[in-house]
Amino acid sequence: MKKPKTFKPQSQELPGQQSKMVPEPEVIRQGYEGADKLRGKVALITGGDSGIGRSVAVYFAREGANVAINYLNEVKDAKDTQKMVEAEGGKCVLIKGDIRSESFCKKVVETTVKKLGGLNILVNNAAVQFPKDSLDGISSKQLLETFETNIFSFFHLSKAALPHFKDGDTIINTSSVTTYRGSEHLVDYASTKGAIVGFTRSLAKMLAPKKIRVNGVAPGPIWTPLIPATFDDVTKFGQDTALGRAGQPSEVAPAYVFLASEDSSYITGQFIHVNGGEIVGG
Ligand code: NAD
Ligand code: MG
């Protein structure tokens, strides 16, 4: 697929719908060949209905995994992802609901284990963002929603998943370039994404003796439903990167395959920066 450099004006409500985006993001690179890197593994992916999470689900399935995806309420997007995973020969369990609730997070993990026979890979990926240009604009309600969704849920889900994990199993957390470079429009969101970095590094050390690895991906501007659902002007989205364009989810998900598979067996507590060329530390 030729990667677009500009986008038509468009806007949506949160959570955005992939099926309503123009053009729809590329889910998997044409010609990507699976190599059984995740054969026999079970993955749970939050926000797996769309965007980066959908691509991770489809790449994981092409690598031989079965997947469970959690999503807030985007039924059509979730069913579309399920069809794509099944077309790869994988099973796909859909689990709808709000991961701000700790008891629901436990249910998500239990459902995954019951329906797919275990859990080896947890991808903490769901998030919200509400751009605001002043601190006054960030209400306590918004602050709580952003932290509960973007980082508290990572604690709830990791806690629930751990009892099922064995040697070689992994957690992968989605952060963002905004935390590394700072973002004047997304102070609360970037703060949660920084918390995810601390969480990942610390949990990696805590779980290393159990041979469970914890890593993350820090994407730059990626063409997903989150973008038209939260930014006023998407027309030049991603043009300020070194590569001069937004990334597609299909270009992000292979980093998750690497971090989930044995190829990264000596890597823990680290982030891969899939951001179109922004040089950031850590
Ligand atoms: P997306 O809208 O496709 O995915 C976000 C998902 O989060 C949604 O599908 C939604 O179902 C889920 N979600 C939101 N609130 C929830 C809740 N309370 N309970 C359960 N699920 C909930 O957008 P995306 O861009 O693919 O986002 C995936 C991750 O990538 C997020 O962590 C985001 O912060 C991160 N990220 C995206 C970009 C980008 O430019 N798109 C850049 C950096 C980081
Ligand atoms: Mg979605």
Side-chain angles (χ1 to χ4, degrees):
M1 172 195 178
K2 194 166 178 316
K3 311 288 188 303
K5 283 195 175 179
T6 55
F7 299 96
K8 287 191 182 127
Q10 53 199 289
S11 78
Q12 296 195 33
E13 301 283 304
L14 261 181
Q17 317 279 328
Q18 186 137 339
S19 54
K20 292 187 182 157
M21 294 176 72
V22 189
E24 278 204 42
E26 184 177 75
V27 177
I28 188 164
R29 192 175 78 234
Q30 212 192 346
Y32 177 91
E33 289 200 25
D36 273 349
K37 286 181 191 276
L38 303 175
R39 179 68 55 202
K41 303 282 186 196
V42 174
L44 167 60
I45 305 160
T46 65
D49 57 301
S50 59
I52 294 168
R54 173 187 286 183
S55 283
V56 172
V58 176
Y59 274 86
F60 277 14
R62 192 164 291 184
E63 293 289 357
N66 291 320
V67 302
I69 64 172
N70 161 255
Y71 59 103
L72 185 59
N73 59 19
E74 307 97 306
V75 175
K76 177 171 168 22
D77 275 357
K79 286 191 173 155
D80 287 348
T81 303
Q82 186 178 45
K83 279 186 212 136
M84 290 177 208
V85 167
E86 288 173 354
E88 300 294 338
K91 288 184 195 160
C92 184
V93 174
L94 303 184
I95 310 171
K96 179 177 162 208
D98 190 334
I99 54 171
R100 285 179 291 171
S101 152
E102 180 167 13
S103 59
F104 177 68
C105 287
K106 282 188 191 150
K107 225 173 91 187
V108 172
V109 168
E110 294 320 319
T111 306
T112 304
V113 171
K114 206 166 128 204
K115 297 211 168 154
L116 296 174
L119 179 59
N120 308 104
I121 305 158
L122 170 63
V123 179
N124 285 310
N125 170 71
V128 288
Q129 64 180 23
F130 306 97
K132 295 280 155 47
D133 294 330
S134 74
L135 273 189
D136 284 341
I138 302 174
S139 65
S140 47
K141 183 170 172 283
Q142 169 174 328
L143 195 60
L144 198 62
E145 179 169 356
T146 306
F147 273 77
E148 283 186 340
T149 310
N150 296 12
I151 175 68
F152 288 9
S153 71
F154 286 33
F155 280 84
H156 303 327
L157 285 161
S158 302
K159 207 195 258 189
L162 270 180
H164 303 284
F165 272 14
K166 303 179 300 295
D167 274 25
D169 291 345
T170 59
I171 298 176
I172 306 170
N173 299 319
T174 306
S175 178
S176 165
V177 71
T178 56
T179 201
Y180 290 89
R181 68 166 183 223
S183 165
E184 63 273 45
H185 310 296
L186 290 167
V187 174
D188 52 347
Y189 169 84
S191 301
T192 66
K193 294 299 179 178
I196 291 166
V197 176
F199 174 70
T200 302
R201 291 175 173 170
S202 304
L203 197 62
K205 292 210 164 165
M206 183 185 275
L207 301 183
K210 294 186 164 57
K211 301 190 171 57
I212 293 163
R213 297 182 300 105
V214 187
N215 291 292
V217 176
I222 310 301
W223 184 237
T224 72
L226 187 67
I227 302 314
T230 59
F231 290 137
D232 290 337
D233 180 7
V234 301
T235 53
K236 294 181 179 157
F237 180 66
Q239 281 183 11
D240 58 349
T241 59
L243 290 176
R245 63 170 177 85
Q248 295 292 320
S250 60
E251 299 175 285
V252 187
Y256 292 76
V257 171
F258 173 66
L259 292 173
S261 77
E262 212 180 337
D263 290 352
S264 60
S265 57
Y266 199 51
I267 298 179
T268 195
Q270 311 296 325
F271 277 82
I272 300 182
H273 297 276
V274 186
N275 66 19
E278 181 123 5
I279 311 300
V280 291

